[in-house]
């Protein structure tokens, strides 16, 4: 099944349903970081909710950063997103596993903070915060949407890895839009109960088939299809820009001490190395 996200307006534009599947993107990220299945199951959920938020960005230059800092085994979980549901991410401890008797929530922890930064070209980026309460990505992000973005969101997320292969990753989200009355909210909440087990749903149907099955009698108006993907934006040119930013004096000081400057990309694992000649050429180009 291909990675795909489908959105549809309901009740004459009074609500929106989004259903998406992105196992390839999740598997690519987990593979790059050599994650255990237990780590990837949580990581995939964070990538999934980040893809959902990134799909709402309007401009190619808009950027999103999601940080989950819990007291669990994985440590910090970071995901970045761009317009079109393009995401990348990493965790501090990708090789952690659940021990006998441990609940899945042990990977995230029972206390912590969710931070969301949206840079949409304004003078100051938007910053929102939520709490890690249950160590469950779905309920904790539903709480974030309600408290920080004032958007009550019926949210269902899941991700399942086995032997390094992603069996499924994705979710469903329903949100009321301006003009959505109580009568529509009741209907929306009732239908969304069918999405509680989103894993089983996405293992048998595509996102659009799920929308058609549960919402077709409300005459959904479909928005353009989106293709989520794992995409790292690092490059030697971008890394050169970072080195220029610290200045020639600081760059040469690192060269004198270490013999070279090594930059490691946390998102894809690539390493970029610069020697004295590279630095000299870099600053001569200014």
């Amino acid at each position: 099944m291909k990675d795909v996200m489908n959105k549809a307006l309901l009740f004459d534009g009074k609500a929106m349903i989004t259903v998406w599947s992105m196992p390839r993107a999740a598997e690519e990220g987990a593979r790059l970081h050599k994650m255990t299945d237990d780590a990837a199951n949580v990581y995939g959920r964070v990538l999934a909710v980040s893809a959902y938020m990134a799909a709402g960005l309007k401009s190619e230059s808009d950027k999103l950063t999601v940080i989950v800092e819990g007291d669990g085994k994985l440590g910090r979980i970071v995901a970045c997103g761009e317009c079109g549901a393009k995401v990348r991410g990493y965790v501090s401890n990708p090789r952690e596993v659940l021990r006998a008797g441990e609940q899945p929530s042990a990977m995230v922890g029972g206390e912590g903070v969710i931070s969301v930064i949206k840079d949409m070209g304004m003078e100051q980026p938007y910053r929102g915060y939520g709490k890690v309460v249950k160590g469950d990505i779905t309920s904790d992000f539903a709480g974030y949407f309600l408290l920080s973005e004032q958007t009550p969101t019926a949210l269902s997320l899941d991700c399942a890895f086995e032997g390094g292969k992603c069996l499924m990753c994705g979710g469903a989200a329903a949100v009321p839009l301006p003009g959505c009355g109580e009568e529509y909210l009741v209907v929306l909440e009732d239908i969304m109960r069918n999405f509680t087990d989103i894993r089983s749903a996405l293992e048998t149907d595509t996102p659009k088939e799920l929308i058609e099955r549960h919402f077709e009698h409300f005459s959904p108006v479909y928005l353009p299809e989106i293709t989520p993907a794992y995409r790292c934006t690092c490059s030697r040119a971008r890394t050169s820009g970072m080195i220029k930013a610290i200045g020639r004096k600081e760059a040469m000081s690192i060269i004198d001490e270490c013999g070279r400057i090594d930059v490691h990309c946390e998102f894809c694992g690539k390493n970029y190395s610069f020697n004295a000649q590279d630095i000299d050429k870099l600053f001569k180009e200014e």
Side-chain angles (χ1 to χ4, degrees):
M1 187 181 292
K2 68 176 183 178
D3 287 9
V4 63
M5 178 181 290
N6 290 109
K7 291 173 171 278
L9 294 172
L10 307 170
F11 315 129
D12 294 324
K14 295 180 175 64
M16 180 181 290
I17 176 70
T18 305
V19 185
W20 68 106
S21 176
M22 46 182 286
R24 293 182 181 178
E27 188 170 312
E28 174 67 5
R31 180 191 64 80
L32 287 170
H33 299 294
K34 299 179 173 61
M35 290 186 183
T36 64
D37 289 347
D38 290 333
N41 288 339
V42 176
Y43 170 76
R45 288 172 170 84
V46 176
L47 278 188
V49 74
S50 300
Y52 168 68
M53 286 191 275
L57 299 175
K58 305 300 182 184
S59 169
E60 292 291 334
S61 61
D62 291 350
K63 301 183 186 305
L64 166 83
T65 302
V66 174
I67 304 171
V68 181
E69 295 184 279
D71 59 357
K73 289 171 170 280
L74 292 184
R76 173 183 268 206
I77 308 168
V78 178
C80 293
E82 298 178 357
C83 184
K86 303 303 184 280
V87 292
R88 58 193 183 276
Y90 66 90
V91 303
S92 297
N93 306 309
R95 299 301 299 166
E96 287 289 342
V97 297
L98 291 171
R99 306 299 179 187
E102 285 186 322
Q103 296 298 313
S105 59
M107 300 301 280
V108 179
E111 292 185 5
V113 177
I114 293 171
S115 304
V116 176
I117 304 168
K118 296 180 182 179
D119 187 349
M120 297 177 285
M122 308 295 285
E123 186 173 335
Q124 294 291 333
Y126 163 85
R127 295 177 182 271
Y129 299 94
K131 290 184 178 182
V132 173
V133 178
K134 298 180 179 179
D136 172 67
I137 295 300
T138 299
S139 59
D140 287 343
F141 270 92
Y144 161 79
F145 287 127
L146 179 61
L147 296 176
S148 191
E149 298 192 4
Q150 288 77 55
T151 306
T153 304
L155 182 66
S156 181
L157 301 167
D158 207 348
C159 181
F161 273 77
E162 186 176 300
K165 181 174 179 58
C166 186
L167 305 179
M168 70 77 57
C169 178
V175 296
L177 299 177
C180 186
E182 185 66 30
E183 68 277 18
Y184 295 113
L185 284 175
V186 172
V187 173
L188 200 60
E189 290 172 355
D190 184 59
I191 296 176
M192 282 302 292
R193 292 190 181 96
N194 294 304
F195 290 84
T196 301
D197 187 359
I198 192 64
R199 175 178 176 176
S200 295
L202 287 174
E203 284 177 343
T204 56
D205 292 313
T206 67
K208 189 170 184 180
E209 287 171 344
L210 287 174
I211 294 175
E212 290 172 345
R213 176 178 299 180
H214 297 288
F215 294 96
E216 193 61 35
H217 50 298
F218 295 115
S219 301
V221 177
Y222 291 95
L223 303 182
E225 190 171 275
I226 298 170
T227 304
Y230 192 95
R231 178 180 296 172
C232 185
T233 58
C234 78
S235 66
R236 190 170 181 84
R238 281 177 175 257
T239 307
S240 297
M242 292 168 54
I243 294 174
K244 277 188 175 182
I246 68 174
R248 184 187 185 99
K249 182 178 179 180
E250 181 63 24
M252 291 309 298
S253 174
I254 298 173
I255 291 289
D256 291 341
E257 182 177 347
C258 303
R260 65 179 187 273
I261 297 177
D262 291 318
V263 180
H264 175 76
C265 177
E266 293 281 8
F267 295 104
C268 70
K270 288 182 180 177
N271 292 298
Y272 299 94
S273 185
F274 297 80
N275 57 29
Q277 290 75 24
D278 294 327
I279 299 301
D280 188 53
K281 180 181 178 181
L282 183 62
F283 284 95
K284 278 185 178 180
E285 292 173 351
E286 292 184 325

